[in-house]
């Protein structure tokens, strides 16, 4: 039985060392010592080791955890201590002097804290102690709880220590040894609640009352001793503490003398309870809980019990981890071999790029994976991350449908389209100064009457549309390009979601992925540039003097009493708002101008009376025939007549008291506003929407793979390999292979050893 226990203990020790070296997270049964500073943890560890090494002087338990692997070796008459190298499973040369042990702990602690620039570190120091007088026991010493940071330390040190100790104690496979001085009452314990947070029922906690000899002089009656030893009022019926006292001598003594002192203190405590307490104490119930020797035997047997119970699960986990590391090693080997196999890399990278393009298409068409709450963005987040906070010329905040939902892909694209439409329909024809109207109407005076007014209003509307709508079109293209650029990371995540990581994938080729991302971004930037040119072309067409948009019948007749903007009837109804907000499209500026066309025609008639046409030499005035004399006078006075007409029009626009002034100016502004609304409606609903959809989405579905292929793969082998064999890449792969090979070798060794251990169960 002893041989089996020893082999099992050695197997777990080697596994623990390997786990620390390689960062393996294995549920190895371990003992964790915790408690407040000066509660006796360091003294307990020295007693378990069987020799002193002045650990208290270097305050071992206040900076880094210390894993003490105690190995009972009958041949080691003097303790042999070896420290595991940082980030390695190898141990250094034996340290024989006790002072060197303490110095090594201190130097390693200081070096790590200087490296991490912290007051404490969770990375443990591993020390293996082989000695004829220590048990087979592994225990993790943790920093002691403190209430206040020492001078020169950060004020957050107590919180950092508490958090670190909890993280070490939380794993359910660890046994907790909590120490508290006997002079502290359970009801006023500072750290008992912290232990309850970790292990509420004390199911895996061994409570140790340290410095028990300090309390003995207070007991005179048996009931006092028994009540104190039970501690049932605070710890529960099923929790029985251990009561330990250790030598207080600080003078340097030999290791043999130190162990004799420990045994002597145990004997003195028991003798005091028997001889100095009236009636003694309940030996049958509490004798196995008093003294350091009892605690040491209990810890050793408890750990062996947990080792035995955990062996099957550890064996299964080792087999799994060995298979995983072997698979990772195979992948690394394949990558190293592929660095010289151009054909293989071309084939694999093409398949990968094609798959990413397919996933982008799926995201554009609509997908619920990956998780939208993690990968999607609200409208505000899109604006913030794209750097495009607002729409040019739009003062009011625009909230499109579903602005608060986290969307991506096709859904986010559609939302930006609706946001653009909301922004466009919130822009009205800007006010026009009288001087501007005068310059335009007087230039069109030769057209006369209502025709001159219509031309002037149309020119004002066209100029306003070019000035105010053009920036909105550019902004829409940039926002849509941002939505599509986000698809690269989403497609990568979608790829792993569907297929997972597998042999031959491109995960390790950072250079290729960077080139693929760059090529994709360039493709989207080109689309954005082309779309800007396309929608500008539509804007130029609609605002061309040759365009008949401003003169269509429904505008000249004016909106009827039941008129509703096409944007309000079709666009809004087509958008399903799933968010918790109302979206009210901007009111059409024409809605308040009912029967305006009649007024315009009436005004145009009045203007035709005021702005006289130049009499024609071929037609009589006022419906009568013209005599030769009159005809001559008209020809002779032609210039004077034109001058008179221009002066009259000017007076009409500048005379502040004339009734005709306000009528003509307001008519031109009103008609210009209607022309502007008509241009905007035709442009946004008939042209731009379809142009942006076909300009962005269709190429992403149909031309993306071709564009990426020409950019990445239509190159010679030397240039192609630059994406895969960047400087230092082969060295990185070789180092990765070497590390994986060491881990595989370690796991194989532990697996073989545990198979032998499992046979003895």
């Amino acid at each position: 039985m002893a041989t089996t226990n020893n082999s099992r203990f050695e197997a777990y020790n080697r596994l623990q060392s390997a786990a620390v070296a390689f960062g393996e997270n294995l549920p190895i049964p371990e003992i964790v010592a915790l408690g407040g500073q000066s509660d006796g943890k360091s003294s307990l560890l020295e007693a378990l080791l069987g020799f002193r090494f002045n650990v208290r002087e270097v305050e071992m338990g206040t900076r880094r955890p210390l894993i003490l692997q105690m190995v009972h070796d009958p041949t080691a008459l003097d303790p042999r201590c070896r420290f595991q190298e940082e980030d390695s499973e190898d141990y250094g040369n034996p340290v024989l002097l006790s002072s060197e042990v303490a110095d090594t702990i201190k130097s390693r602690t200081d070096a790590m804290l200087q490296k991490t620039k912290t007051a404490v570190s969770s990375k443990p120091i591993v020390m293996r102690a082989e000695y004829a007088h220590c048990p087979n026991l592994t225990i993790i010493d943790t920093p002691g709880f403190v209430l206040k940071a020492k001078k020169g330390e950060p004020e957050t040190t107590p919180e950092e220590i508490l958090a670190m100790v909890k993280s070490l104690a939380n794993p359910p496979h660890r046994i907790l040894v909590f120490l508290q001085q006997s002079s502290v009452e359970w009801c006023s314990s500072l750290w008992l609640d912290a232990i309850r947070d970790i292990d509420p029922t004390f199911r895996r906690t061994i409570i140790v009352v340290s410095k028990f000899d300090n309390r003995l002089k207070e007991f005179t009656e048996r009931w006092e001793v028994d009540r104190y030893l039970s501690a049932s009022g605070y710890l529960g019926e099923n929790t029985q503490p251990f009561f330990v006292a250790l030598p207080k001598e600080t003078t340097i003594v030999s290791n043999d003398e130190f162990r004799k002192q420990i045994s002597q203190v145990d004997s003195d405590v028991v003798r005091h309870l028997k001889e100095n307490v009236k009636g003694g104490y309940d030996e049958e119930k509490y004798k196995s809980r008093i003294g350091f020797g009892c605690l040491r035997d209990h810890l050793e047997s408890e750990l062996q019990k947990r080792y035995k119970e955990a062996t099957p699960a550890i064996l299964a986990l080792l087999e799994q981890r060995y298979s995983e590391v072997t698979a990772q090693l195979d992948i690394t080997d394949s990558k190293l071999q592929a660095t010289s196999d151009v054909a293989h890399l071309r084939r694999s990278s093409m398949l990968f790029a094609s798959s990413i393009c397919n996933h982008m298409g799926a995201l554009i068409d609509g997908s619920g994976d990956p998780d939208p709450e993690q990968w999607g963005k609200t409208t505000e987040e899109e604006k913030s991350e794209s750097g495009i906070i607002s729409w040019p010329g739009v003062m009011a905040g625009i909230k499109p449908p579903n602005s608060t939902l986290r969307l991506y892909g096709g859904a986010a694209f559609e939302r930006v389209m609706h946001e653009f439409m909301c922004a466009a329909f919130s822009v009205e024809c800007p006010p026009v100064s009288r001087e501007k109207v005068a310059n335009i109407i007087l230039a069109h005076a030769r057209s006369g009457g209502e025709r001159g007014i219509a031309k002037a209003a149309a020119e004002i509307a066209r100029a306003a549309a070019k000035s105010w709508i053009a920036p909105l079109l550019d902004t829409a293209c940039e926002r849509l390009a941002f939505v599509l650029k986000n698809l690269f990371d989403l497609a990568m995540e979608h790829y792993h979601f569907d297929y997972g990581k597998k042999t031959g994938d491109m995960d390790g080729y950072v250079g290729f992925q960077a080139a693929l991302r760059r090529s994709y971004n360039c493709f989207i930037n080109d689309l954005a540039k082309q779309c800007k040119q396309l929608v500008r072309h539509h804007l130029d067409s609609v605002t061309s003097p040759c365009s008949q948009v401003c003169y269509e019948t429904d505008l000249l007749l004016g909106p009827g009493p039941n008129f509703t903007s096409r944007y309000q009837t079709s666009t809004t109804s087509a958008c399903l708002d799933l968010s918790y907000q109302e979206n009210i499209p901007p009111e059409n500026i024409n809605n308040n101008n009912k029967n305006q066309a009649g007024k315009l025609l009436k005004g145009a008639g009045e203007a035709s009376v005021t702005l006289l046409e130049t009499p024609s030499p071929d037609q009589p005035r006022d419906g009568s025939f013209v005599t030769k004399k009159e005809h001559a006078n008209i020809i002779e006075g032609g210039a004077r007549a034109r001058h008179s007409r221009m002066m009259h029009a000017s007076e009409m626009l500048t005379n502040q008291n004339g009734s005709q002034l306000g009528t003509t100016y307001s008519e031109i502004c009103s008609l210009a506003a209607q022309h502007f609304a008509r241009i905007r409606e035709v442009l946004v609903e008939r042209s731009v929407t379809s142009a942006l959809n076909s300009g962005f989405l269709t190429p992403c579905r149909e031309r993306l793979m071709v564009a990426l292929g020409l950019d990445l793969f239509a190159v010679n082998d030397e240039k192609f390999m630059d994406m895969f064999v960047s400087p230092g890449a082969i060295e990185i792969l070789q180092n990765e292979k070497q590390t994986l090979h060491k881990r595989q070798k370690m796991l194989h060794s532990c697996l073989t050893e545990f198979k032998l251990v499992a046979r003895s169960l």
Side-chain angles (χ1 to χ4, degrees):
M1 177 62 71
T3 303
T4 301
N5 288 345
N6 289 340
S7 62
R8 187 185 300 129
F9 178 74
E10 284 291 346
Y12 273 103
N13 267 353
R14 276 187 283 274
L15 182 60
Q16 186 178 53
S17 300
V20 172
F22 294 104
E24 290 284 352
N25 186 16
L26 302 173
I28 305 169
E30 295 164 322
I31 296 175
V32 181
L34 38 88
Q37 205 166 47
S38 302
D39 279 347
K41 288 192 291 88
S42 299
S43 297
L44 177 63
L45 293 177
E46 287 183 331
L48 289 169
L49 284 167
F51 65 95
R52 275 182 172 161
F53 53 95
N54 300 324
V55 69
R56 286 165 289 185
E57 295 182 8
V58 296
E59 296 179 342
M60 172 181 61
T62 61
R63 295 295 183 272
R64 288 181 69 179
L66 177 69
I67 299 179
L68 283 175
Q69 297 177 339
M70 308 175 201
V71 179
H72 177 70
D73 184 356
T75 65
L77 301 180
D78 292 316
R80 294 192 300 265
C81 299
R82 292 186 298 160
F83 288 88
Q84 184 177 345
E85 301 294 340
E86 303 282 7
D87 303 318
S88 171
E89 62 175 331
D90 299 327
Y91 287 83
N93 297 324
V95 178
L96 302 178
L97 298 178
S98 299
S99 58
E100 290 183 8
V101 173
D103 291 342
T104 303
I105 293 173
K106 186 177 186 305
S107 63
R108 289 202 172 197
T109 300
D110 292 343
M112 180 58 66
L113 298 183
Q114 186 176 4
K115 179 181 178 181
T116 59
K117 307 296 183 184
T118 57
V120 295
S121 173
S122 60
K123 187 174 180 59
I125 298 172
V126 180
M127 186 180 88
R128 178 182 175 90
E130 300 167 350
Y131 194 30
H133 302 287
C134 72
N136 283 324
L137 191 67
T138 299
I139 190 165
I140 303 174
D141 182 36
T142 62
F145 300 127
V146 294
L147 291 174
K148 187 178 180 181
K150 290 185 177 181
K151 186 177 180 180
E153 291 181 343
E155 294 183 0
T156 58
T157 298
E159 290 77 12
E160 291 178 8
I161 290 176
L162 181 60
M164 184 177 70
V165 172
K166 283 188 174 182
S167 69
L168 290 170
N170 273 327
H173 57 270
R174 286 179 172 165
I175 305 168
L176 311 184
V177 176
F178 171 60
L179 281 80
Q180 180 171 278
Q181 296 187 49
S182 63
S183 58
V184 178
E185 300 294 339
W186 293 115
C187 59
S188 58
S189 173
L190 294 175
W191 308 116
L192 189 61
D193 288 340
I195 304 304
R196 279 199 174 98
D197 289 342
I198 302 169
D199 183 20
T201 62
F202 299 130
R203 183 183 60 84
R204 56 188 180 92
T205 302
I206 298 172
I207 296 179
V208 178
V209 178
S210 62
K211 304 179 182 180
F212 182 51
D213 50 340
N214 292 339
R215 193 70 183 252
L216 291 178
K217 56 182 178 294
E218 299 180 12
F219 303 133
T220 57
E221 300 287 340
R222 174 169 176 160
W223 66 269
E224 294 176 328
V225 178
D226 290 347
R227 183 178 67 176
Y228 179 78
L229 296 178
S230 67
S232 58
Y234 300 98
L235 304 180
E237 294 294 337
N238 298 324
T239 303
Q240 296 181 346
F242 283 85
F243 301 87
V244 175
L246 294 170
K248 291 184 173 59
E249 288 289 336
T250 59
T251 57
I252 299 176
V253 296
S254 65
N255 294 336
D256 290 340
E257 184 62 29
F258 176 58
R259 291 191 298 275
K260 288 179 182 178
Q261 289 178 0
I262 294 174
S263 300
Q264 186 62 46
V265 171
D266 279 353
S267 300
D268 291 344
V269 168
V270 173
R271 185 172 60 253
H272 180 90
L273 290 175
K274 289 181 178 181
E275 298 176 0
N276 297 333
V277 176
K278 187 177 180 179
Y281 70 103
D282 190 342
E283 293 188 43
E284 183 179 353
K285 188 173 183 179
Y286 299 115
K287 184 177 181 180
S288 61
R289 296 279 168 170
I290 297 175
F292 168 77
C294 295
L295 174 63
R296 181 184 61 183
D297 294 341
H298 178 77
L299 291 176
E300 190 172 12
S301 63
E302 184 68 18
L303 189 60
Q304 287 291 345
K305 174 186 173 185
R306 299 293 182 94
Y307 281 165
K308 185 176 180 180
E309 292 173 350
T311 296
I314 292 292
L315 180 60
L317 188 58
L318 282 173
E319 290 177 340
Q320 177 186 340
R321 290 296 298 130
Y322 179 75
S323 298
E324 292 172 352
V325 170
T326 301
Q328 292 174 5
L329 185 59
D330 290 341
I331 292 174
T332 306
D333 275 334
S334 298
K335 290 178 180 179
L336 278 170
Q337 293 175 6
T339 56
S340 58
D341 188 350
V342 181
H344 172 77
L345 280 178
R346 282 186 178 275
R347 182 171 59 254
S348 298
S349 57
M350 284 182 181
L351 290 174
F352 180 78
S354 176
S355 178
I356 294 299
C357 291
N358 291 336
H359 285 292
M360 287 181 183
L363 291 166
I364 290 174
D365 292 337
S367 175
D369 294 312
D371 184 8
E373 292 193 10
Q374 178 183 356
W375 295 90
K377 291 178 175 59
T378 64
T379 294
E380 291 303 317
E381 290 171 341
E382 277 182 9
K383 290 180 178 179
S384 176
E385 294 182 22
S386 66
I388 307 172
I389 306 300
S390 59
W391 293 89
V394 179
M395 303 302 296
I398 301 297
K399 289 189 175 181
N402 306 308
S403 63
T404 59
L405 297 184
R406 296 185 177 278
L407 305 179
Y408 55 64
F413 188 96
E414 186 67 15
R415 182 174 62 187
V416 173
M417 292 292 293
H418 283 285
E419 186 180 353
F420 159 70
M421 298 179 78
C422 289
F425 277 91
S426 69
V427 175
E428 299 181 4
C429 186
V432 185
S433 67
R434 293 178 183 274
E435 286 76 8
K436 188 171 184 177
V437 172
N439 276 278
I440 296 175
I441 191 64
L442 291 176
H444 288 284
R446 67 177 62 89
S447 299
E450 65 181 74
R451 188 179 177 190
I453 290 176
K455 284 186 176 182
E459 185 173 333
I460 291 170
R462 286 194 294 267
K466 284 186 175 182
S467 176
W468 290 83
I469 297 180
L472 294 179
L473 297 175
D474 289 346
T475 300
C477 292
E478 292 170 2
R479 285 283 305 279
L480 293 172
F482 175 77
V483 169
L484 293 178
K485 285 181 181 179
N486 284 338
L487 287 184
F488 187 86
D489 290 329
L490 285 162
M492 293 287 289
E493 184 68 19
H494 201 265
Y495 171 82
H496 291 308
F497 179 84
D498 279 355
Y499 299 105
K501 294 184 178 181
K502 55 185 180 179
T503 302
D505 65 5
M506 296 287 110
D507 281 353
Y509 297 109
V510 179
F512 171 73
Q513 290 193 17
L516 182 62
R517 182 191 295 271
R518 175 194 55 77
S519 182
Y520 175 71
N521 287 339
C522 289
F523 177 77
I524 298 300
N525 287 336
D526 289 343
L527 290 185
K529 185 177 180 180
Q530 294 169 13
C531 284
K532 285 182 181 180
Q533 295 173 349
L534 181 61
V535 293
R536 282 295 186 99
H537 172 73
H538 285 294
L539 177 61
D540 292 341
S541 298
V542 174
T543 57
S544 169
C546 299
S547 174
Q548 296 299 311
V549 169
C550 296
Y551 308 107
E552 293 184 6
T553 306
D554 56 346
L555 178 64
L556 293 178
L557 294 179
N562 298 322
F563 172 79
T564 305
S565 169
R566 185 177 295 117
Y567 171 70
Q568 293 171 282
T569 58
S570 62
T571 305
T572 306
S573 62
C575 178
L576 178 61
D577 189 355
L578 302 177
S579 60
Y580 299 102
Q581 63 179 20
E582 294 294 331
N583 181 69
I584 303 176
E587 294 183 1
N588 192 290
I589 60 175
N590 297 326
N591 288 352
N592 296 326
N593 296 325
K594 293 182 179 180
N595 300 320
Q596 188 65 34
K599 294 180 181 180
L600 291 174
L601 293 175
K602 179 181 178 183
E606 293 174 355
S608 67
V609 174
T610 305
L611 299 175
L612 299 175
E613 290 283 350
T614 303
S616 171
D618 300 326
Q619 294 181 351
R621 289 185 298 170
D622 300 328
S624 60
F625 292 96
V626 183
T627 64
K628 291 182 179 180
K629 182 178 180 180
E630 291 172 334
H631 181 67
N633 289 338
I634 290 172
I635 295 175
E636 184 181 12
R640 291 193 298 271
R642 179 178 297 277
H643 175 73
S644 174
R645 181 180 62 199
M646 297 289 289
M647 289 298 294
H648 192 73
S650 177
E651 291 173 0
M652 177 185 66
L653 292 169
T654 57
N655 183 7
Q656 298 294 329
N657 298 321
S659 60
Q660 195 66 27
L661 170 67
T663 302
T664 304
Y665 175 71
S666 62
E667 286 168 359
I668 291 175
C669 291
S670 178
L671 189 57
Q674 294 188 56
H675 287 333
F676 180 88
R678 183 60 173 170
I679 291 172
R680 179 187 60 193
E681 181 181 358
V682 170
L683 181 69
V684 173
E685 295 190 18
R686 297 184 187 177
S687 304
V688 172
T689 304
S690 59
L692 291 177
N693 275 285
S694 60
F696 276 110
L697 301 185
T698 301
C700 284
R701 293 189 181 98
E702 298 178 359
R703 293 194 289 110
L704 176 58
M705 185 55 204
V706 175
L708 296 181
L710 290 174
D711 189 24
L712 298 176
F713 307 120
V715 295
N716 58 40
D717 289 347
E718 183 179 357
K719 187 174 181 180
F720 175 78
M721 290 302 293
D722 287 342
M723 294 183 290
F724 297 89
V725 190
S726 57
I730 295 180
E731 183 180 354
I732 292 173
L733 286 173
Q734 289 174 340
N735 291 337
E736 182 181 353
K737 178 183 177 180
Q738 186 177 5
T739 300
L740 288 171
H741 183 70
K742 285 184 177 180
R743 182 172 293 192
Q744 183 196 44
K745 183 179 178 181
M746 175 273 297
L747 288 170
H748 183 266
S749 175
C750 291
L751 180 59
T752 302
E753 196 167 11
F754 266 84
K755 286 181 178 179
L756 295 174
V757 170
R759 292 173 186 172
S760 64
L761 293 180

